[in-house]
Amino acid sequence: TSCPPCAAHPFEPSGPSTPRAPLDVAPAGEVVFEVRRGVPLSKLFARLGRVIRTKADTLTVAEQTDLFSVSHKVDEFDFFISHVCSTPGSKKYLTLVMDRLGPAAYVSSISVSLGLHAFQASCQELPQFGTDLTVSFWELLGGVTVAWVVCAFGHVCCRRTCCFFDCASICQHDASLKNAGIRSIPSFLRASRELVVLWDERYFT
């Protein structure tokens, strides 16, 4: 049976934890601020979406600590990602890349293709390779190459864009922090400018 949407249904704490004072004795606002942590888009997409492809419950305590260090405290989220844990991470990564970087890739591709067209029309025509395309080979190659480059590396320019992604925004190695993070999900949603739902056939199963 596939698991439910991670951000919509709490998961049970697992693994060893470091003892600490219960967080629920503190004022609610302070607790929410302590556990409200966002993941920069530059880190979410780094290394072909390593964070997105990670299964937190299969990690050691040290690896869970390293995963949590990817996030940092934020006042609000640019967007909140709701997804299903059992959906392949690569599928979620490609979907998010198209959603977040797709428009920039499209604009960059068109701009480069038009630039190459203008250069050949006004300055010098580049060598042709006997193709029967209605557009120049260089315009096509330049546009496609730039689009791929933006999709692969565009996240480097998104260090200030932060999102909620459960396995990195919610502490996995400390039971108290993990429970506090799960209880604070409604407040995280209210602190988000946008909700992104990675919808698939598993979402309501």
Side-chain angles (χ1 to χ4, degrees), residues 76-154:
E76 63 179 4
F77 302 103
D78 291 291
F79 58 101
F80 182 108
I81 300 173
S82 177
H83 66 106
V84 182
C85 299
S86 61
T87 299
S90 56
K91 182 178 178 181
K92 290 184 281 191
Y93 167 68
L94 291 174
T95 301
L96 285 169
V97 166
M98 290 298 101
D99 179 64
R100 297 290 115 178
L101 301 178
Y106 175 78
V107 171
S108 300
S109 175
I110 294 297
S111 299
V112 168
S113 295
L114 290 176
L116 287 170
H117 175 77
F119 173 80
Q120 293 188 93
S122 59
C123 299
Q124 179 180 352
E125 185 174 352
L126 298 174
Q128 300 300 314
F129 298 96
T131 60
D132 296 327
L133 298 175
T134 56
V135 296
S136 165
F137 166 80
W138 296 104
E139 294 166 14
L140 180 62
L141 177 64
V144 171
T145 300
V146 168
W148 278 107
V149 168
V150 171
C151 287
F153 303 106

